[in-house]
Amino acid sequence: MPITVLFEDNHVLAVVKPPGILSQEDDTGDADMLTLLKQDLKERHNKPGNVFLGLVHRLDRMVGGAMVFAKTSKAASRLSESVRSRQFGKTYVCVVQGSPAKPQAQLTHYILKDSKQNQVTVYNKPVGEAKEAVLDYEVTAVTGRYSLVAVKLHTGRPHQIRAQLAHIGCPLVGDLKYGAKPTGGISEIALWSTSVSTPHPVSKEWMVFRSIPSGSAAWSWWSYEQLEVASSMLSNG
């Protein structure tokens, strides 16, 4: 499977993850980005033995877009620290059913994951072991019953964007798990990682990697210019 490379040097590999591919191997045995990219690096650079590639962050299986990996253990450690210290920016674009009451806002909720069901519950106030989930959103275009929404994450909770937007009455198109109504046979969730930004693990230079949504029929409802504008919103750099 061809994977678009956005950037590569001795320390960092940034690519476009196709929707439907796991970020890392699980017990299903299905294709995953780590395995595919290690094999690709091995072949492209004629590397003997095992190839190191560090997973710095994850995207849900059905989510496509920009994703960053570390090519050395030092880079993995430093990029992971950027994630922990919230110097690792992540923005997304999604298509939702309906339109939020406010065209732009910050959402703060508390998310509790049920690992057996692989689903989360959203609360308005702290509850038990629920973790704080914070994001900014901005509606960038509206057509009929659907809205194109840019999102910036401040925390990286499981299913965070899907669950928080569903909680305010705007589930993502294709996301039946979180209450979306079936839409014209669309089975993919309309959510895309449009940018990842972080200091380079060695040079400390600020890096921004961008990707414009493609694939799902939900993206075809918008012009390329609208998708490009939405993809640049809320990004750090």
Side-chain angles (χ1 to χ4, degrees):
M1 173 182 293
I3 295 175
T4 300
V5 175
L6 298 172
F7 174 84
E8 182 179 3
D9 65 8
N10 291 332
H11 312 281
V12 175
L13 176 64
V15 302
V16 177
K17 174 188 171 299
I21 305 294
L22 295 164
S23 289
Q24 65 181 136
E25 185 179 12
D26 67 6
D27 55 12
T28 65
D30 293 340
D32 69 279
M33 292 297 291
L34 266 181
T35 302
L36 291 171
L37 290 173
K38 284 181 180 180
Q39 184 61 35
D40 178 64
L41 289 170
K42 187 179 181 69
E43 293 174 359
R44 282 196 293 116
H45 299 298
N46 295 314
K47 290 196 171 188
N50 294 326
V51 173
F52 178 87
L53 194 65
L55 185 72
V56 178
H57 66 117
R58 296 173 176 80
L59 293 178
D60 286 352
R61 179 173 187 153
M62 297 310 298
V63 179
M67 193 171 182
V68 172
F69 295 83
K71 292 180 65 178
T72 66
S73 57
K74 178 185 289 187
S77 175
R78 291 180 178 177
L79 288 171
S80 295
E81 177 56 32
S82 293
V83 173
R84 284 191 292 271
S85 62
R86 298 192 181 182
Q87 297 182 68
F88 195 91
K90 293 179 284 184
T91 64
Y92 296 77
V93 162
C94 58
V95 181
V96 304
Q97 295 180 342
S99 192
K102 297 180 180 179
Q104 61 184 83
Q106 182 170 98
L107 300 180
T108 300
H109 295 111
Y110 299 85
I111 284 180
L112 186 63
K113 183 175 182 180
D114 182 335
S115 297
K116 290 183 179 179
Q117 299 295 327
N118 191 30
Q119 190 165 353
V120 304
T121 302
V122 178
Y123 298 94
N124 292 326
K125 297 180 179 179
V127 174
E129 297 181 357
K131 295 182 178 180
E132 186 181 55
V134 183
L135 63 77
D136 297 332
Y137 74 81
E138 184 168 347
V139 177
T140 67
V142 178
T143 179
R145 295 174 294 143
Y146 305 102
S147 301
L148 187 64
V149 181
V151 177
K152 178 179 180 179
L153 285 181
H154 294 285
T155 55
R157 307 306 182 198
H159 299 183
Q160 180 178 340
I161 296 172
R162 299 164 60 185
Q164 284 192 272
L165 289 178
H167 189 70
I168 64 168
C170 296
L172 275 59
V173 168
D175 197 359
L176 304 185
K177 175 174 282 191
Y178 289 100
K181 297 177 181 178
T183 305
I186 293 177
S187 57
E188 289 183 357
I189 297 170
L191 178 60
W192 194 270
S193 170
T194 51
S195 78
V196 177
S197 53
T198 183
H200 189 280
V202 176
S203 71
K204 306 305 180 185
E205 180 181 355
W206 190 253
M207 306 181 295
V208 182
F209 308 115
R210 300 185 187 280
S211 176
I212 305 296
S214 63
S216 171
W219 306 122
S220 69
W221 301 344
W222 318 92
S223 69
Y224 182 83
E225 289 73 19
Q226 286 176 313
L227 292 174
E228 193 173 34
V229 168
S231 297
S232 67
M233 301 295 287
L234 307 178
S235 175
N236 292 338

